[in-house]
Structures are given as C-alpha cells and as structure tokens.
Amino acid sequence: MLPYIIRRVLLVIPTLFVIMAINFGIVQFAPGGPVEQILAELDGTAVSATARIGGPAGAEVGGNRPSAGNGASGDSQYRGAQGLDPAFIKSIEKQFGFDKPPLERFLLMLGNYATFDFGNSFFRDQAVIDLVLEKMPVSISLGLWTTLLVYLISIPLGIAKAVRDGTRFDIWTSTVVIVGNAVPSFLFAILLIVIFAGGQYLDWFPLRGLVSDNWEQLSWPARIADYFWHLALPLTALLIGSFATLTLLTKNSFLEEINKQFVITARAKGLTENRVLYGHVFRNAMLIVIAGFPSAFIGILFTSTLLIEIIFSLDGLGLLGFEAVINRDYPIMFATLYFFTLLGLLMGIVSDVLYMLIDPRIDFESRQG
C-alpha cells in the first residue's frame, strides 16, 4: 500500500498546480480588483464586506492585469482612475505587486506557497497565515463536531431503517429525514434564534461568539460547558439538513448487502442476527459510506458554514473567504483556495486508507495511479 500512497501524494503536486493556474487565469479577466477597490474607496463608491483599508502589503499574488506605462489617467483601464495622477496609480500597483507580469506573479506565488508563505492581506494589514489560524478554531469546531454527530446519528439510524424496512419506524423516520433535508439550515438557524436565543420566546443560548468574554477566567469544566453552550444552536442548525443523505445511503447499502446469498447462508448456519449484521454485512455496506467521508467533511467545513457563521456572528474561515472575495483581497482568496484544495486532495488519500482498514481484501498495490 505504501507505493500507492506515495504515488497519490506525488499526484497532489500537479493537481494542485493545475487548479491554482486555472483560478489564477480566471481572476485575470474578472471585473474589479484591489486597485479598483482602492480607487472606488477614494471615489466613495466602494462595496466592501466589513474589511478596512490599511496599508496594502505587496504580497506577490494574482489580480487583474495592471496598466503599465499609462500616458495619462484618462487612458487607464481602471474605472475611477480619471483625474488621478498616473504616478499615483502606478504606486498603488507596485504596492499590490501588479507592476510585474502575470506569469511572474504566478510563479512567485507558487514559490511562496510551497513554503506556506501566503504573504499579507491587502486590506487588513496582517499576515494571511495569522488570519487563517485566527479563524480556524471556529470552522474546525463547526465542521468537526457536525461531521462527527452526522455520522454518529446517520449510521445507526440507517442500519435501523434497513433492518426495519417497510415498517412504521422506517416510514416516519423517512418523513423526518426528508423534511429535515428540505429545510435550509440558515432558515432553521433563524427559527432557533427566535425561539431559544432571546428572539421572541426563550433566552437560553448566546447569540454570538464561540466562547464567552470571561472564558479565560473560568475553570476547565466551565470552559468546556461554555464552549458547547455557544455551539449548541449552530450545530443543531447544521445537523438538520446534513444527515439525510448519509442516512439513506447507509440504509440502501445495508439493504443491498442483506439480500445477498452469503447473508442467507450465514443465517442458515445458525448465526445470530447481530453476528450476521455486524460481522458480515457491516464491512461491505460501509465501504460506500466511507467513500463519501472526505467530501462530506470538506463540504461541511468550508461551504455549509458560511451563512451559519454570519447568522450566529461566528468569525470563521467561511466568513473570511466571503469578505476576501467581496473586497478583492487576493492573498486571502488564493491562500484559502490553496489550503482547501490541498486538504481535499489529502482527504481523498485518507479515504483510500480507510477503505483498506475496513476491508483488507482491497489491494492498493494492484492499482495504477
């Protein structure tokens, strides 16, 4: 299995390069950019996402094609540049690193990212790696606990539904699962706030933050309780629509295995139902469930939490990436893309290792690539 893992790890490099190159190329032709954002701020027409303008640190990352050698401000390709000194515009370009050709900027970016040097944010005057590490606890908390709870609920529920297929239990749990899947998580989050967070009825849970302001002064048991107290409503909102797919997938996988000949033979030999279910069926049925783990984790961690972070005032990676897109903060945009892509590729390798641990009959050595 080791040679296969080495091949997969080496394949990460060209895959990551292609993804970064495609996105860098798209950004070159996208309207707007950090220079135009600065000009719009000067003109009073900027649309920002709570980010403040600071002294932009010239991180060598992508952006719109810079105007080189403009003879007059009226000839500038930047909207809002009319009436401004061309030398001033060039100084802004230099601050952002746009005085270099796109290819040179891209190569510099890849060289820096290879050593996990993501430069500084254009508009926050702070190192990107520090921003990511600062926001990471919120996103990791939401993603990790949601994924864990989804699997802890969905797998036993799916098995129970498969064993009781067609019964009342199967019908009413399917109704609950389908209704839960149909309710958007952000809508359910608003309902939870109205009922439990002082919106209209009860005031049991806090509305913002991952911990209380006096968290440092609390004892460790009180800190743990405070942490989960703040997570209760966001996790509930994320869970309501997350376990439906995995529950039905688990049920269908078990139903397919239960009807196979080897299960009938095992029962004919006198094995107990639990021995048949967990000793023979479980290993085969769980393969397809494990296969979906990486995408489920990445999806919950980096996409499903954006609106939840906004609604519950949780300052995590989802909100950071959203603000970076709105503000054209390319160092944060490309750094988060790099991080998310790298993590997704590595999770694919983890998925294959889990395959082997669940079913040793899978032979990675015979696979090519």
Side-chain angles (χ1 to χ4, degrees):
M1 189 178 72
L2 183 60
Y4 170 77
I5 294 177
I6 293 175
R7 291 197 302 269
R8 286 292 304 274
V9 171
L10 292 177
L11 189 61
V12 166
I13 298 174
T15 305
L16 192 60
F17 174 83
V18 171
I19 292 174
M20 295 299 296
I22 291 174
N23 284 274
F24 185 91
I26 292 173
V27 165
Q28 306 309 305
F29 300 98
V35 176
E36 288 187 340
Q37 186 78 4
I38 290 289
L39 298 178
E41 289 284 348
L42 295 174
D43 194 37
T45 59
V47 177
S48 67
T50 73
R52 59 187 182 278
I53 292 183
E60 310 294 349
V61 295
N64 279 6
R65 291 166 292 175
S67 56
N70 293 328
S73 61
D75 298 331
S76 175
Q77 71 179 59
Y78 299 116
R79 290 174 296 181
Q82 281 205 347
L84 296 177
D85 186 354
F88 171 72
I89 297 176
K90 287 187 176 182
S91 68
I92 296 178
E93 291 177 346
K94 187 173 182 180
Q95 283 181 304
F96 287 119
F98 292 166
D99 56 332
K100 299 180 178 66
L103 180 59
E104 183 178 349
R105 294 201 309 274
F106 178 65
L107 294 177
L108 284 171
M109 180 185 73
L110 291 183
N112 291 333
Y113 283 14
T115 59
F116 292 93
D117 177 9
F118 300 112
N120 293 337
S121 166
F122 283 162
F123 299 106
R124 289 176 179 258
D125 197 24
Q126 189 176 352
V128 172
I129 188 65
D130 292 338
L131 283 169
V132 171
L133 293 177
E134 178 185 332
K135 313 300 182 185
M136 185 71 76
V138 172
S139 295
I140 289 294
S141 295
L142 289 174
L144 183 62
W145 289 114
T146 302
T147 306
L148 180 62
L149 290 173
V150 164
Y151 271 76
L152 288 177
I153 294 172
S154 298
I155 292 176
L157 181 58
I159 295 174
K161 286 173 65 62
V163 173
R164 299 170 177 83
D165 184 40
T167 64
R168 284 187 178 182
F169 173 83
D170 182 39
I171 294 172
W172 73 257
T173 52
S174 294
T175 302
V176 172
V177 166
I178 292 171
V179 171
N181 189 52
V183 177
S185 59
F186 71 89
L187 188 61
F188 191 68
I190 296 173
L191 178 64
L192 291 175
I193 290 174
V194 170
I195 297 176
F196 297 108
Q200 195 72 279
Y201 301 100
L202 305 173
D203 191 10
W204 289 354
F205 297 94
L207 250 182
R208 61 184 302 114
L210 194 61
V211 293
S212 300
D213 293 335
N214 64 336
W215 191 79
E216 294 290 344
Q217 284 73 47
L218 299 176
S219 63
W220 274 109
R223 288 184 182 184
I224 296 173
D226 181 77
Y227 170 73
F228 284 107
W229 181 47
H230 282 75
L231 277 178
L233 294 187
L235 286 181
T236 303
L238 284 170
L239 280 172
I240 191 65
S242 300
F243 65 89
T245 302
L246 185 60
T247 299
L248 297 178
L249 179 64
T250 303
K251 175 191 172 182
N252 294 333
S253 298
F254 270 79
L255 281 178
E256 182 180 353
E257 294 296 323
I258 286 173
N259 294 323
K260 288 185 176 179
Q261 183 62 44
F262 76 92
V263 175
I264 299 174
T265 303
R267 285 172 175 163
K269 290 181 178 180
L271 296 180
T272 63
E273 191 64 24
N274 283 339
R275 181 71 182 275
V276 172
L277 192 62
Y278 296 102
H280 293 75
V281 176
F282 185 83
R283 184 177 64 181
N284 294 333
M286 286 302 295
L287 284 175
I288 191 171
V289 176
I290 293 299
F293 174 79
S295 59
F297 178 75
I298 296 297
I300 292 173
L301 184 59
F302 298 123
T303 59
S304 301
T305 60
L306 172 58
L307 290 175
I308 298 300
E309 288 180 11
I310 294 174
I311 292 171
F312 290 99
S313 299
L314 298 171
D315 196 6
L317 287 176
L319 188 57
L320 177 67
F322 172 75
E323 291 180 358
V325 172
I326 297 299
N327 295 322
R328 304 299 193 269
D329 201 337
Y330 292 131
I332 295 178
M333 285 175 56
F334 281 104
T336 51
L337 172 67
Y338 179 86
F339 177 76
F340 295 166
T341 305
L342 180 61
L343 184 59
L345 293 172
L346 293 178
M347 288 301 294
I349 300 175
V350 171
S351 176
D352 283 348
V353 174
L354 290 176
Y355 263 130
M356 186 276 295
L357 293 177
I358 293 175
D359 190 351
R361 294 173 301 174
I362 294 178
D363 183 14
F364 285 103
E365 300 296 337
S366 62
R367 296 182 61 179
Q368 299 298 321

